[in-house]
Amino acid sequence: MDLQKEKEIKTPVSYSSKIRRKWRDIWKYKAMYLMLLPGLIWFIIYKYVPLYGVIVAFKNYSLVDGMIASPWAHPWYKYFQTFFNSPYFTELLSNTFLISFYRLIFGFAPPIILALLLNECRISWMKRWVQTLSYIPHFFSWVIVYGILVAFLSQSTGLINHWIVESGGNTISFLTSTHWFRSILVSSDVWKEIGWGSIIYLAAITGINPSLYEAAKIDGANRMRMIWHITLPGIRNIIILLFILRIGHILDAGFEEVYILYNIQVYPVADIIDTWVYRTGLQQLNFSLATAVGLFKSVIGLILVLGVNRLAKRWGGGIW
C-alpha cells in the first residue's frame, strides 16, 4: 500500500489535469470570483486599457490628427530629451524628491502612533471623539485647507501674525517665504491625513490574537512591552506594505496641494515635476511632453517599488 502511494506521489501530473483542477477550484469558489469580477473589470478598463496612450510620448501628437495618425517623433526620445535638457530639470527633480521625502519621513509614522494611542485608550467617549476629529480633515479639499492656512498665517490678517505683532515682533510672510513653504506644506498634509491613515493600522491591530496580550500580562509585561513585542510585530506586514507603496509614489509630491499653496515667489522651493508639466505640457497643449514625463515617473516608481520590495524580503516582509 505504501509503495502504491509513493508511485502516485512520484507520478507527474499532466498539464491538462492541472487545468481541470484549476477550473474545479474556480467553480468551487465561484461566488468569490463573481464578487472579484467588477473590481477586476474596473481595473482593466481604467488602468490597463489607458496604457495604450503611452505611445503619445513617442509621437508629435496633434489633436487634429489623433493618436494613431500623429507622426512619430524624431528621434524617438525627443520629448524625454526636452524634459532632461530643461534648465529647470535639476530644480524640479530636487524639489519633488525633497517634498516627497519630507512627507514620507514626517507623515508615515504619525498614523501608526495615533493608531497605537487609540488602541490603548480605555475611555470610549474620548476615543470616539479623537477618531472623529482626526478623520474630518481628510474630507476637506485643499482649497478649504488653504483658506484655513490663510486665516492663521496671512501676513496681514493671519491670527498667528496678529499674536506676533501684539508680542512686539514683526510679521512673517509664511505663505510667500521660501524658508517656510515646505514646512507648512508637509505639516498641513500630516494634519490632514493622520486620522485617515490610522484606520488601516487600527484594523490590523484588531486582528491580533487577544490571547497574546493576556499571556504577556500574566508574564508581567507592561503596556509598552506589549506594544513593542506584540502590537508592532503584529502589524509589521501592513507597515512594510504601505511603506513600499509610498516609495513607489516618491515622485508624486502632491500636485493638488502644491498647486493651490504655491505662488511665483516660492517657485525655487515649490515647483515640482507635476506643476511644471501642467504649465508647460498641458496649458500649452504639449501632450507628448506631459506623457513622456508621466512615463518617466512611472518607470522610476516601478524601479523603486521592486528595489524596496526586494530589500524588505530580507526582513521577512515584501508584497510578493
Side-chain angles (χ1 to χ4, degrees):
M1 189 68 179
D2 292 337
L3 291 173
Q4 186 177 356
K5 285 184 178 180
E6 287 181 8
K7 287 180 180 179
E8 289 177 358
I9 293 171
K10 291 180 180 179
T11 303
V13 181
S14 64
Y15 180 76
S16 59
S17 299
K18 290 181 179 179
I19 295 295
R20 286 196 298 270
R21 185 181 302 171
K22 185 66 67 177
W23 277 109
R24 281 198 300 268
D25 291 339
I26 292 174
W27 182 254
K28 182 179 179 181
Y29 300 105
K30 56 184 179 295
M32 294 185 178
Y33 282 102
L34 285 173
M35 292 173 64
L36 178 66
L37 195 59
L40 187 62
I41 293 173
W42 178 91
F43 204 84
I44 291 172
I45 292 174
Y46 291 102
K47 297 297 182 180
Y48 281 96
V49 173
L51 288 176
Y52 178 72
V54 167
I55 65 171
V56 173
F58 307 98
K59 287 194 168 192
N60 294 317
Y61 179 72
S62 169
L63 287 172
V64 177
D65 296 333
M67 191 182 302
I68 304 299
S70 295
W72 292 97
H74 182 75
W76 62 270
Y77 53 83
K78 172 183 175 181
Y79 293 102
F80 296 93
Q81 190 176 40
T82 300
F83 176 60
F84 297 149
N85 291 339
S86 168
Y88 306 105
F89 174 73
T90 304
E91 181 180 283
L92 293 170
L93 200 62
S94 61
N95 287 341
T96 303
F97 268 113
L98 281 174
I99 291 175
S100 297
F101 180 74
Y102 293 152
R103 290 177 63 191
L104 179 65
I105 295 299
F106 297 106
F108 188 75
I112 301 174
I113 296 171
L114 178 61
L116 294 174
L117 292 175
L118 290 174
N119 183 62
E120 296 299 320
C121 183
R122 296 294 177 260
I123 306 174
S124 57
W125 65 266
M126 182 181 291
K127 182 177 180 178
R128 289 195 300 269
W129 271 100
V130 171
Q131 283 180 298
T132 303
L133 292 174
S134 62
Y135 295 167
I136 287 175
H138 170 78
F139 300 99
F140 292 165
S141 70
W142 276 102
V143 176
I144 295 175
V145 174
Y146 178 71
I148 295 172
L149 291 175
V150 168
F152 278 92
L153 302 177
S154 172
Q155 188 172 4
S156 56
T157 60
L159 185 60
I160 293 178
N161 271 312
H162 181 66
W163 290 341
I164 293 173
V165 171
E166 286 189 345
S167 302
N170 297 320
T171 59
I172 301 173
S173 56
F174 291 105
L175 298 177
T176 58
S177 171
T178 55
H179 298 290
W180 287 96
F181 180 82
R182 287 174 181 167
S183 300
I184 293 170
L185 178 72
V186 173
S187 57
S188 60
D189 180 71
V190 172
W191 167 76
K192 188 175 184 294
E193 300 297 337
I194 183 173
W196 189 256
S198 66
I199 292 176
I200 191 168
Y201 296 112
L202 280 171
I205 289 171
T206 57
I208 299 174
N209 191 346
S211 62
L212 296 175
Y213 293 103
E214 295 173 4
K217 192 180 295 184
I218 293 171
D219 290 338
N222 55 27
R223 299 305 305 179
M224 286 301 298
R225 286 287 184 181
M226 285 189 276
I227 290 172
W228 186 256
H229 293 287
I230 298 175
T231 307
L232 286 176
I235 62 174
R236 183 187 62 177
N237 290 337
I238 298 297
I239 294 173
I240 292 173
L241 171 64
L242 294 180
F243 181 76
I244 292 173
L245 294 177
R246 288 285 295 269
I247 288 293
H249 292 276
I250 197 69
L251 289 182
D252 292 327
F255 167 76
E256 185 181 358
E257 58 221 72
V258 174
Y259 183 73
I260 289 173
L261 292 179
Y262 84 154
N263 52 73
I264 195 169
Q265 293 172 292
V266 295
Y267 272 7
V269 297
D271 202 17
I272 60 174
I273 292 175
D274 289 335
T275 54
W276 182 84
V277 167
Y278 178 76
R279 293 196 314 274
T280 307
L282 300 182
Q283 287 186 342
Q284 298 175 14
L285 301 182
N286 194 342
F287 296 108
S288 296
L289 177 61
T291 306
V293 177
L295 182 59
F296 165 74
K297 288 175 53 181
S298 299
V299 171
I300 296 298
L302 176 62
I303 293 171
L304 288 172
V305 166
L306 294 175
V308 174
N309 182 73
R310 187 168 184 176
L311 188 63
K313 283 184 177 180
R314 297 185 179 182
W315 287 279
I319 300 178
W320 63 87

